[in-house]
Amino acid sequence: MPSEYDSMSPANPAASARERDYFQAHLEGERGFFVSDARPGLITGKIAISLSIARVDREGRFDGVLAIVVYPDYFEQVYRMLGTRETTRFGLVKS
């Protein structure tokens, strides 16, 4: 699936991730891998899940967030292709 928005596209000043759960978690000290709740994306408006990790400077201080976005509908399509019988079950779980 081609990207609808990427770092090569012009910046959208109206789209700030600062208020998103993943950004706030890293700002407040989370340094591990973070999986956000599913919610409408800032750019596309499509339901999306953000996968992120904090960016830190040489002294270990918070210096931003590295994040990618995945769309749950992609997984729905994959599961639909894999499971053709009524009894087939798949799940994507956040724990």
Side-chain angles (χ1 to χ4, degrees):
M1 172 181 227
S3 174
E4 294 183 30
Y5 182 85
D6 59 41
S7 61
M8 300 303 288
S9 301
N12 182 346
S16 170
R18 187 166 183 81
E19 300 302 320
R20 293 294 177 144
D21 58 350
Y22 63 91
F23 190 95
Q24 288 298 312
H26 295 303
L27 183 62
E28 294 169 5
E30 173 61 52
R31 294 298 182 257
F33 185 70
F34 187 87
V35 180
S36 76
D37 292 331
R39 58 185 52 186
L42 291 170
I43 305 295
T44 65
K46 290 172 48 176
I47 297 298
I49 298 169
S50 297
L51 311 173
S52 64
I53 191 163
R55 180 179 169 184
V56 294
D57 65 15
R58 290 180 185 204
E59 286 77 41
R61 295 178 299 221
F62 178 76
D63 192 32
V65 172
L66 302 171
I68 63 168
V69 173
V70 295
Y71 297 105
D73 63 351
Y74 168 80
F75 295 102
E76 290 173 8
Q77 293 170 14
V78 169
Y79 294 155
R80 203 173 294 120
M81 287 186 308
L82 294 174
T84 56
R85 298 187 320 212
E86 275 187 42
T87 58
T88 305
R89 300 285 184 258
F90 296 98
L92 182 62
V93 179
K94 174 183 175 182
S95 63

Coordinates of all heavy atoms in Angstrom, one line a residue:
M1 N 0.8 -1.2 0.0 CA 0.0 0.0 0.0 C 0.9 1.2 0.0 O 1.7 1.4 0.9 CB -0.9 0.0 1.2 CG -1.7 1.2 1.5 SD -2.7 1.1 3.0 CE -4.2 1.7 2.3
P2 N 0.8 2.1 -1.0 CA 1.6 3.3 -1.0 C 1.3 4.3 0.1 O 0.2 4.3 0.6 CB 1.3 3.9 -2.4 CG 0.0 3.3 -2.8 CD -0.2 2.0 -2.1
S3 N 2.3 5.0 0.5 CA 2.1 6.0 1.6 C 1.2 7.2 1.1 O 1.4 7.6 0.0 CB 3.5 6.5 2.0 OG 3.3 7.6 2.9
E4 N 0.4 7.6 2.0 CA -0.4 8.8 1.6 C 0.2 10.1 2.1 O -0.1 11.2 1.6 CB -1.8 8.7 2.2 CG -2.6 7.5 1.6 CD -4.0 7.4 2.2 OE1 -4.6 8.5 2.5 OE2 -4.5 6.3 2.3
Y5 N 1.1 10.0 3.0 CA 1.9 11.1 3.5 C 3.2 10.6 4.0 O 3.2 9.6 4.7 CB 1.1 11.8 4.6 CG 1.9 13.1 5.1 CD1 1.7 14.3 4.4 CD2 2.7 13.0 6.2 CE1 2.4 15.4 4.9 CE2 3.4 14.1 6.6 CZ 3.3 15.3 5.9 OH 3.9 16.4 6.4
D6 N 4.3 11.2 3.7 CA 5.6 10.8 4.2 C 6.5 12.0 4.5 O 6.1 13.1 4.2 CB 6.2 9.8 3.3 CG 6.4 10.3 1.9 OD1 6.8 11.5 1.8 OD2 6.2 9.6 0.9
S7 N 7.7 11.7 4.9 CA 8.6 12.8 5.3 C 9.0 13.6 4.1 O 9.6 14.7 4.2 CB 9.8 12.3 6.1 OG 10.5 11.3 5.3
M8 N 8.8 13.1 2.9 CA 9.2 13.8 1.7 C 8.1 14.8 1.2 O 8.3 15.7 0.4 CB 9.5 12.9 0.5 CG 10.6 11.9 0.9 SD 12.2 12.7 1.3 CE 12.6 13.3 -0.3
S9 N 6.9 14.7 1.8 CA 5.8 15.6 1.5 C 6.0 16.9 2.3 O 6.7 17.0 3.3 CB 4.5 15.0 1.9 OG 4.3 13.8 1.2
P10 N 5.4 18.0 1.8 CA 5.5 19.3 2.5 C 4.9 19.1 3.9 O 3.9 18.4 4.1 CB 4.7 20.2 1.7 CG 4.5 19.6 0.3 CD 4.7 18.1 0.5
A11 N 5.5 19.8 4.9 CA 5.0 19.8 6.2 C 3.6 20.4 6.3 O 3.3 21.3 5.6 CB 5.9 20.5 7.2
N12 N 2.8 19.8 7.2 CA 1.5 20.3 7.4 C 1.4 20.9 8.8 O 1.4 20.2 9.8 CB 0.4 19.2 7.3 CG -1.0 19.6 7.5 OD1 -1.2 20.8 8.0 ND2 -1.9 18.8 7.1
P13 N 1.5 22.2 9.0 CA 1.6 22.8 10.3 C 0.4 22.6 11.2 O 0.5 22.6 12.4 CB 1.8 24.3 10.0 CG 1.4 24.5 8.6 CD 1.6 23.2 7.9
A14 N -0.7 22.2 10.6 CA -2.0 22.0 11.3 C -1.9 20.6 12.0 O -2.7 20.3 12.8 CB -3.2 22.1 10.4
A15 N -1.0 19.7 11.5 CA -1.0 18.4 12.0 C 0.2 18.2 13.0 O 1.3 17.9 12.7 CB -0.8 17.4 10.8
S16 N -0.2 18.4 14.3 CA 0.8 18.3 15.3 C 0.5 17.0 16.2 O -0.7 16.9 16.6 CB 0.8 19.5 16.2 OG 1.6 19.3 17.4
A17 N 1.5 16.2 16.4 CA 1.2 15.0 17.2 C 1.4 15.3 18.7 O 1.2 14.3 19.5 CB 2.2 13.9 16.8
R18 N 1.7 16.5 19.1 CA 2.0 16.8 20.5 C 0.9 16.4 21.5 O 1.2 16.0 22.6 CB 2.3 18.3 20.6 CG 2.7 18.6 22.0 CD 3.3 20.1 22.0 NE 3.8 20.4 23.3 CZ 5.0 20.0 23.8 NH1 5.8 19.3 23.0 NH2 5.4 20.3 25.0
E19 N -0.3 16.4 21.1 CA -1.4 16.0 22.0 C -1.8 14.5 21.9 O -2.6 14.1 22.7 CB -2.7 16.8 21.7 CG -2.5 18.3 21.8 CD -2.0 18.7 23.2 OE1 -2.5 18.2 24.2 OE2 -1.1 19.6 23.3
R20 N -1.1 13.8 21.0 CA -1.5 12.4 20.9 C -0.9 11.6 22.1 O 0.1 11.9 22.7 CB -0.9 11.8 19.6 CG -1.5 12.4 18.3 CD -2.9 11.9 18.3 NE -3.6 12.5 17.1 CZ -4.5 11.8 16.4 NH1 -4.9 10.6 16.7 NH2 -5.1 12.4 15.4
D21 N -1.6 10.4 22.4 CA -1.2 9.6 23.5 C 0.2 9.1 23.4 O 0.9 9.1 24.4 CB -2.2 8.4 23.7 CG -2.3 7.5 22.5 OD1 -1.8 7.8 21.4 OD2 -3.0 6.5 22.7
Y22 N 0.7 8.7 22.3 CA 2.1 8.2 22.2 C 3.1 9.3 22.4 O 4.1 9.1 23.1 CB 2.3 7.6 20.8 CG 2.2 8.4 19.6 CD1 3.3 9.1 19.1 CD2 1.0 8.6 18.9 CE1 3.3 9.9 18.0 CE2 0.9 9.4 17.8 CZ 2.1 10.1 17.3 OH 2.0 10.8 16.2
F23 N 2.8 10.5 21.9 CA 3.8 11.6 22.2 C 3.8 12.0 23.7 O 4.9 12.2 24.2 CB 3.4 12.9 21.3 CG 4.4 13.9 21.3 CD1 5.4 14.0 20.3 CD2 4.5 14.9 22.4 CE1 6.4 15.0 20.3 CE2 5.5 15.9 22.4 CZ 6.4 15.9 21.4
Q24 N 2.6 12.1 24.3 CA 2.6 12.4 25.7 C 3.2 11.4 26.5 O 3.9 11.7 27.5 CB 1.1 12.6 26.1 CG 0.5 13.9 25.6 CD 1.2 15.1 26.1 OE1 1.5 15.3 27.3 NE2 1.5 16.0 25.2
A25 N 3.1 10.1 26.2 CA 3.7 9.0 27.0 C 5.2 9.2 26.9 O 5.9 9.0 28.0 CB 3.3 7.6 26.4
H26 N 5.8 9.4 25.8 CA 7.2 9.6 25.7 C 7.7 10.9 26.3 O 8.8 10.9 27.0 CB 7.7 9.5 24.2 CG 7.5 8.2 23.6 ND1 8.0 7.1 24.1 CD2 6.7 7.9 22.5 CE1 7.6 6.0 23.3 NE2 6.9 6.5 22.3
L27 N 6.9 11.9 26.2 CA 7.3 13.2 26.9 C 7.3 13.0 28.4 O 8.2 13.6 29.1 CB 6.2 14.3 26.5 CG 6.4 15.7 27.0 CD1 7.7 16.3 26.5 CD2 5.2 16.6 26.6
E28 N 6.4 12.2 28.9 CA 6.4 11.9 30.3 C 7.4 10.9 30.8 O 7.3 10.5 32.0 CB 4.9 11.6 30.7 CG 4.0 12.7 30.5 CD 2.5 12.3 30.6 OE1 2.2 11.1 31.0 OE2 1.6 13.1 30.4
G29 N 8.2 10.3 29.9 CA 9.3 9.4 30.4 C 9.3 8.1 29.8 O 10.2 7.3 30.0
E30 N 8.2 7.6 29.1 CA 8.3 6.3 28.4 C 9.4 6.3 27.4 O 9.4 7.1 26.5 CB 6.9 6.0 27.8 CG 6.9 4.7 27.0 CD 7.2 3.5 27.8 OE1 6.5 3.3 28.8 OE2 8.1 2.7 27.4
R31 N 10.3 5.3 27.6 CA 11.4 5.2 26.6 C 11.3 3.9 25.8 O 12.2 3.7 24.9 CB 12.8 5.3 27.4 CG 13.0 6.6 28.0 CD 13.1 7.7 27.0 NE 13.4 9.0 27.5 CZ 12.5 10.0 27.7 NH1 11.2 9.8 27.4 NH2 12.9 11.2 28.2
G32 N 10.4 3.1 26.1 CA 10.2 1.8 25.4 C 9.3 2.0 24.1 O 8.9 3.1 23.8
F33 N 9.0 0.9 23.5 CA 8.1 0.9 22.3 C 6.7 1.2 22.8 O 6.3 0.6 23.8 CB 8.3 -0.5 21.7 CG 7.5 -0.6 20.4 CD1 8.0 0.0 19.3 CD2 6.4 -1.5 20.3 CE1 7.3 -0.1 18.1 CE2 5.8 -1.7 19.1 CZ 6.2 -1.0 18.0
F34 N 6.0 2.0 22.1 CA 4.6 2.4 22.5 C 3.6 2.1 21.4 O 3.9 2.5 20.2 CB 4.5 3.9 22.9 CG 3.2 4.3 23.5 CD1 3.0 4.1 24.9 CD2 2.2 4.8 22.7 CE1 1.8 4.5 25.4 CE2 1.0 5.2 23.3 CZ 0.8 5.0 24.6
V35 N 2.5 1.5 21.7 CA 1.4 1.3 20.7 C 0.3 2.1 21.1 O -0.3 1.9 22.2 CB 1.1 -0.2 20.6 CG1 0.0 -0.4 19.6 CG2 2.3 -1.1 20.3
S36 N -0.2 3.0 20.3 CA -1.3 3.9 20.6 C -2.6 3.2 20.5 O -2.7 2.1 19.9 CB -1.3 5.1 19.7 OG -1.8 4.8 18.4
D37 N -3.6 3.9 21.0 CA -5.0 3.5 20.7 C -5.3 3.8 19.3 O -4.7 4.7 18.6 CB -6.0 4.3 21.6 CG -5.8 3.9 23.1 OD1 -5.4 2.8 23.4 OD2 -6.1 4.8 23.9
A38 N -6.3 3.1 18.7 CA -6.7 3.4 17.3 C -7.6 4.6 17.3 O -8.5 4.8 18.2 CB -7.5 2.2 16.8
R39 N -7.3 5.5 16.4 CA -8.1 6.8 16.3 C -7.9 7.4 15.0 O -6.9 7.0 14.2 CB -7.7 7.8 17.4 CG -6.2 8.1 17.4 CD -5.9 9.0 18.6 NE -6.3 8.3 19.8 CZ -6.3 8.8 21.0 NH1 -5.8 9.9 21.2 NH2 -6.8 8.1 22.0
P40 N -8.7 8.4 14.6 CA -8.5 9.0 13.3 C -7.1 9.6 13.1 O -6.7 10.3 14.1 CB -9.6 10.0 13.2 CG -10.7 9.6 14.2 CD -9.9 8.9 15.3
G41 N -6.5 9.4 12.0 CA -5.2 10.0 11.7 C -5.2 11.5 11.5 O -6.2 12.0 11.1
L42 N -4.2 12.1 11.9 CA -4.1 13.6 11.7 C -4.1 14.0 10.3 O -4.6 15.1 10.0 CB -2.8 14.1 12.4 CG -2.7 14.0 13.9 CD1 -1.3 14.3 14.4 CD2 -3.7 15.0 14.5
I43 N -3.5 13.3 9.4 CA -3.4 13.7 8.0 C -4.6 13.2 7.2 O -5.2 13.9 6.4 CB -2.1 13.2 7.4 CG1 -0.9 13.6 8.2 CG2 -1.9 13.6 5.9 CD1 -0.6 15.1 8.2
T44 N -4.8 11.9 7.3 CA -5.8 11.2 6.4 C -7.2 11.2 7.0 O -8.2 11.0 6.3 CB -5.4 9.8 6.1 OG1 -5.4 9.0 7.3 CG2 -4.0 9.7 5.4
G45 N -7.3 11.2 8.3 CA -8.6 11.0 9.0 C -9.0 9.5 9.1 O -10.0 9.2 9.7
K46 N -8.2 8.6 8.5 CA -8.5 7.2 8.5 C -8.1 6.7 9.9 O -7.2 7.1 10.5 CB -7.7 6.4 7.5 CG -8.2 6.7 6.1 CD -7.3 6.1 5.0 CE -6.9 4.7 5.2 NZ -6.1 4.1 4.2
I47 N -8.9 5.7 10.4 CA -8.5 5.1 11.7 C -7.1 4.5 11.6 O -6.8 3.8 10.6 CB -9.5 4.0 12.1 CG1 -10.9 4.6 12.3 CG2 -9.1 3.2 13.3 CD1 -11.0 5.6 13.4
A48 N -6.3 4.8 12.5 CA -4.9 4.4 12.5 C -4.3 4.1 13.9 O -4.9 4.6 14.9 CB -4.0 5.6 11.9
I49 N -3.3 3.3 13.9 CA -2.6 3.0 15.2 C -1.1 3.5 15.0 O -0.5 3.2 13.9 CB -2.6 1.5 15.4 CG1 -4.0 1.0 15.6 CG2 -1.7 1.1 16.7 CD1 -4.1 -0.5 15.6
S50 N -0.6 4.2 15.9 CA 0.8 4.7 15.9 C 1.7 3.8 16.7 O 1.4 3.4 17.8 CB 0.9 6.1 16.4 OG 0.1 7.0 15.6
L51 N 2.8 3.4 16.1 CA 3.9 2.7 16.8 C 5.1 3.6 17.0 O 5.5 4.2 16.0 CB 4.3 1.5 15.9 CG 3.2 0.6 15.4 CD1 3.7 -0.5 14.5 CD2 2.4 0.0 16.5
S52 N 5.5 3.8 18.2 CA 6.5 4.9 18.4 C 7.6 4.5 19.4 O 7.4 3.6 20.2 CB 5.8 6.1 18.8 OG 5.2 5.9 20.1
I53 N 8.6 5.2 19.4 CA 9.7 5.1 20.4 C 10.2 6.6 20.6 O 10.2 7.4 19.7 CB 10.8 4.2 20.0 CG1 11.7 3.9 21.1 CG2 11.5 4.6 18.7 CD1 12.6 2.6 20.9
A54 N 10.7 6.9 21.8 CA 11.2 8.2 22.1 C 12.6 8.4 21.4 O 13.4 7.5 21.3 CB 11.4 8.4 23.6
R55 N 12.8 9.6 21.0 CA 14.1 10.0 20.5 C 14.8 10.7 21.6 O 14.1 11.6 22.3 CB 14.0 10.9 19.3 CG 15.3 11.4 18.7 CD 15.1 12.3 17.5 NE 16.4 12.8 17.3 CZ 16.6 13.7 16.3 NH1 15.6 14.2 15.6 NH2 17.8 14.2 16.2
V56 N 16.0 10.4 21.9 CA 16.7 11.0 23.1 C 18.0 11.6 22.6 O 18.6 11.1 21.6 CB 16.9 10.0 24.2 CG1 15.6 9.6 24.9 CG2 17.7 8.8 23.8
D57 N 18.5 12.6 23.3 CA 19.8 13.2 22.9 C 20.9 12.4 23.6 O 20.7 11.4 24.2 CB 19.9 14.7 23.2 CG 19.8 15.0 24.7 OD1 20.0 14.0 25.6 OD2 19.6 16.1 25.0
R58 N 22.2 12.8 23.4 CA 23.3 12.1 24.0 C 23.3 12.0 25.5 O 23.9 11.1 26.0 CB 24.6 12.8 23.5 CG 24.9 12.6 22.0 CD 26.1 13.2 21.6 NE 26.2 13.1 20.2 CZ 27.3 13.1 19.5 NH1 28.5 13.3 20.1 NH2 27.3 13.0 18.2
E59 N 22.6 12.9 26.1 CA 22.5 12.8 27.6 C 21.3 12.0 28.1 O 21.0 12.0 29.2 CB 22.5 14.2 28.2 CG 23.8 15.0 28.2 CD 24.2 15.5 26.8 OE1 23.2 16.0 26.1 OE2 25.3 15.4 26.4
G60 N 20.5 11.5 27.1 CA 19.4 10.7 27.4 C 18.1 11.5 27.6 O 17.1 11.0 28.1
R61 N 18.1 12.8 27.3 CA 16.9 13.7 27.4 C 16.0 13.5 26.2 O 16.5 13.3 25.1 CB 17.4 15.1 27.6 CG 18.1 15.4 28.9 CD 18.5 16.8 28.9 NE 19.4 17.1 27.7 CZ 20.5 17.9 27.8 NH1 20.9 18.5 28.9 NH2 21.2 18.1 26.7
F62 N 14.7 13.6 26.5 CA 13.7 13.5 25.4 C 14.0 14.6 24.3 O 14.3 15.7 24.6 CB 12.3 13.8 26.1 CG 11.2 13.8 25.0 CD1 10.8 12.6 24.5 CD2 10.7 15.0 24.6 CE1 9.7 12.6 23.6 CE2 9.6 15.0 23.7 CZ 9.2 13.8 23.2
D63 N 14.0 14.1 23.1 CA 14.3 14.9 22.0 C 13.3 14.7 20.8 O 13.6 14.9 19.6 CB 15.7 14.7 21.5 CG 16.2 15.7 20.5 OD1 15.8 16.9 20.6 OD2 17.0 15.4 19.7
G64 N 12.1 14.2 21.1 CA 11.1 14.0 20.1 C 10.7 12.5 20.0 O 11.0 11.7 20.9
V65 N 9.9 12.2 19.0 CA 9.4 10.9 18.8 C 9.6 10.4 17.4 O 9.4 11.1 16.5 CB 7.8 10.9 19.2 CG1 7.2 9.6 18.8 CG2 7.6 11.2 20.6
L66 N 9.9 9.1 17.3 CA 10.0 8.5 16.0 C 8.7 7.6 15.9 O 8.5 6.7 16.8 CB 11.2 7.6 15.8 CG 12.5 8.4 16.0 CD1 13.7 7.4 16.0 CD2 12.7 9.4 14.9
A67 N 7.9 7.8 14.9 CA 6.6 7.0 14.9 C 6.3 6.6 13.4 O 6.7 7.3 12.5 CB 5.5 7.9 15.4
I68 N 5.6 5.5 13.4 CA 5.0 5.0 12.1 C 3.5 4.8 12.4 O 3.1 4.6 13.5 CB 5.7 3.8 11.5 CG1 5.5 2.6 12.4 CG2 7.1 4.0 11.2 CD1 5.9 1.3 11.8
V69 N 2.8 4.8 11.3 CA 1.3 4.6 11.4 C 0.9 3.4 10.6 O 1.4 3.2 9.5 CB 0.6 5.9 10.9 CG1 -0.9 5.6 10.8 CG2 0.9 7.1 11.7
V70 N 0.1 2.6 11.2 CA -0.5 1.4 10.5 C -2.0 1.5 10.5 O -2.5 2.1 11.5 CB 0.0 0.1 11.1 CG1 1.5 -0.1 11.0 CG2 -0.4 -0.1 12.6
Y71 N -2.6 1.1 9.5 CA -4.0 1.2 9.4 C -4.6 -0.2 9.6 O -4.3 -1.2 9.0 CB -4.4 1.6 8.0 CG -3.9 3.0 7.7 CD1 -2.8 3.2 6.8 CD2 -4.5 4.1 8.3 CE1 -2.4 4.5 6.6 CE2 -4.1 5.4 8.0 CZ -3.0 5.6 7.2 OH -2.5 6.9 6.9
P72 N -5.6 -0.3 10.6 CA -6.2 -1.6 10.9 C -6.9 -2.2 9.7 O -6.9 -3.4 9.6 CB -7.2 -1.2 12.0 CG -6.6 0.0 12.7 CD -6.0 0.7 11.6
D73 N -7.4 -1.4 8.8 CA -8.0 -2.0 7.6 C -7.1 -2.8 6.8 O -7.5 -3.7 6.1 CB -8.8 -0.9 6.8 CG -7.9 0.1 6.2 OD1 -6.7 0.2 6.5 OD2 -8.4 0.9 5.3
Y74 N -5.8 -2.5 6.8 CA -4.8 -3.3 6.1 C -4.8 -4.8 6.7 O -4.9 -5.7 5.9 CB -3.4 -2.8 6.3 CG -2.3 -3.7 5.8 CD1 -2.0 -3.9 4.5 CD2 -1.6 -4.5 6.8 CE1 -1.0 -4.8 4.1 CE2 -0.6 -5.4 6.4 CZ -0.4 -5.5 5.1 OH 0.6 -6.4 4.7
F75 N -4.9 -4.9 8.0 CA -4.9 -6.2 8.7 C -6.2 -6.9 8.4 O -6.3 -8.1 8.2 CB -4.7 -6.1 10.2 CG -3.3 -5.6 10.5 CD1 -3.1 -4.3 10.8 CD2 -2.2 -6.5 10.4 CE1 -1.8 -3.8 11.1 CE2 -0.9 -6.0 10.7 CZ -0.7 -4.7 11.0
E76 N -7.3 -6.1 8.3 CA -8.6 -6.7 7.9 C -8.5 -7.4 6.6 O -9.0 -8.5 6.3 CB -9.7 -5.7 8.0 CG -10.0 -5.2 9.4 CD -11.0 -4.0 9.4 OE1 -11.6 -3.7 8.3 OE2 -11.2 -3.5 10.5
Q77 N -7.9 -6.7 5.6 CA -7.8 -7.2 4.3 C -6.9 -8.5 4.3 O -7.3 -9.5 3.6 CB -7.1 -6.2 3.3 CG -8.0 -5.0 3.1 CD -7.3 -3.9 2.4 OE1 -6.2 -4.0 1.8 NE2 -7.9 -2.7 2.4
V78 N -5.8 -8.5 5.0 CA -4.9 -9.6 5.1 C -5.7 -10.8 5.7 O -5.7 -11.9 5.1 CB -3.6 -9.3 5.9 CG1 -2.9 -10.6 6.1 CG2 -2.8 -8.3 5.1
Y79 N -6.3 -10.6 6.8 CA -7.1 -11.7 7.5 C -8.2 -12.2 6.6 O -8.5 -13.4 6.5 CB -7.7 -11.2 8.8 CG -6.7 -10.8 9.8 CD1 -7.0 -9.9 10.9 CD2 -5.4 -11.4 9.8 CE1 -6.0 -9.6 11.8 CE2 -4.5 -11.1 10.8 CZ -4.8 -10.2 11.8 OH -3.9 -9.9 12.8
R80 N -8.8 -11.3 5.8 CA -9.9 -11.7 4.9 C -9.4 -12.7 3.8 O -10.0 -13.6 3.5 CB -10.5 -10.5 4.3 CG -11.9 -10.7 3.8 CD -12.6 -9.4 3.3 NE -12.9 -8.5 4.4 CZ -12.4 -7.3 4.5 NH1 -11.6 -6.8 3.5 NH2 -12.6 -6.5 5.5
M81 N -8.1 -12.4 3.3 CA -7.5 -13.2 2.3 C -7.1 -14.6 2.9 O -7.2 -15.6 2.2 CB -6.3 -12.5 1.7 CG -6.6 -11.4 0.8 SD -5.2 -10.7 -0.1 CE -4.0 -10.4 1.2
L82 N -6.7 -14.6 4.2 CA -6.2 -15.8 4.8 C -7.4 -16.7 5.3 O -7.3 -17.9 5.2 CB -5.3 -15.5 6.0 CG -4.0 -14.8 5.7 CD1 -3.3 -14.5 7.0 CD2 -3.1 -15.7 4.8
G83 N -8.4 -16.1 5.8 CA -9.5 -16.9 6.3 C -10.7 -16.9 5.5 O -11.4 -15.9 5.4
T84 N -10.9 -18.0 4.8 CA -12.1 -18.1 3.9 C -13.2 -18.9 4.4 O -14.3 -19.0 3.9 CB -11.6 -18.7 2.5 OG1 -11.1 -19.9 2.7 CG2 -10.6 -17.7 1.9
R85 N -13.0 -19.6 5.6 CA -14.1 -20.4 6.2 C -14.7 -19.6 7.4 O -14.0 -18.8 8.0 CB -13.5 -21.7 6.7 CG -12.9 -22.6 5.6 CD -12.6 -23.9 6.0 NE -11.9 -23.9 7.4 CZ -11.0 -24.7 7.8 NH1 -10.6 -25.7 7.0 NH2 -10.5 -24.6 9.0
E86 N -15.9 -19.9 7.7 CA -16.6 -19.3 8.8 C -15.9 -19.5 10.1 O -16.0 -18.7 11.0 CB -18.1 -19.7 8.9 CG -19.0 -18.9 8.0 CD -20.4 -19.3 8.2 OE1 -20.8 -19.5 9.4 OE2 -21.2 -19.4 7.2
T87 N -15.3 -20.7 10.3 CA -14.7 -21.0 11.5 C -13.3 -20.5 11.7 O -12.7 -20.6 12.8 CB -14.6 -22.6 11.7 OG1 -13.9 -23.1 10.6 CG2 -16.0 -23.2 11.7
T88 N -12.7 -19.8 10.7 CA -11.4 -19.3 10.8 C -11.4 -18.0 11.6 O -12.3 -17.1 11.4 CB -10.8 -19.0 9.4 OG1 -10.8 -20.1 8.6 CG2 -9.4 -18.4 9.5
R89 N -10.5 -17.9 12.6 CA -10.5 -16.7 13.5 C -9.0 -16.2 13.6 O -8.1 -16.9 13.7 CB -10.9 -17.0 14.9 CG -12.3 -17.5 15.0 CD -13.3 -16.4 14.8 NE -14.7 -16.8 14.9 CZ -15.5 -17.1 13.9 NH1 -15.2 -16.9 12.7 NH2 -16.8 -17.5 14.2
F90 N -8.9 -14.9 13.5 CA -7.6 -14.2 13.7 C -7.8 -13.0 14.6 O -8.9 -12.5 14.7 CB -7.1 -13.6 12.3 CG -6.8 -14.7 11.3 CD1 -7.6 -15.0 10.3 CD2 -5.5 -15.3 11.4 CE1 -7.3 -16.0 9.4 CE2 -5.2 -16.3 10.4 CZ -6.1 -16.6 9.4
G91 N -6.7 -12.6 15.2 CA -6.8 -11.4 16.1 C -5.6 -10.6 16.1 O -4.5 -11.1 15.9
L92 N -5.7 -9.3 16.3 CA -4.6 -8.4 16.6 C -4.8 -7.8 17.9 O -5.8 -7.1 18.2 CB -4.6 -7.3 15.5 CG -3.5 -6.3 15.5 CD1 -2.1 -7.0 15.3 CD2 -3.7 -5.3 14.4
V93 N -3.9 -8.1 18.9 CA -4.1 -7.8 20.3 C -3.1 -6.8 20.8 O -1.9 -7.0 20.5 CB -4.1 -9.1 21.1 CG1 -4.3 -8.7 22.6 CG2 -5.2 -10.1 20.6
K94 N -3.5 -5.8 21.5 CA -2.5 -4.9 22.2 C -2.5 -5.4 23.6 O -3.5 -5.5 24.3 CB -3.0 -3.5 22.1 CG -2.2 -2.5 22.9 CD -2.8 -1.1 22.8 CE -2.1 -0.2 23.7 NZ -2.6 1.2 23.7
S95 N -1.3 -5.6 24.2 CA -1.3 -6.1 25.6 C -0.3 -5.2 26.3 O 0.5 -4.5 25.8 CB -0.8 -7.5 25.7 OG 0.5 -7.7 25.1

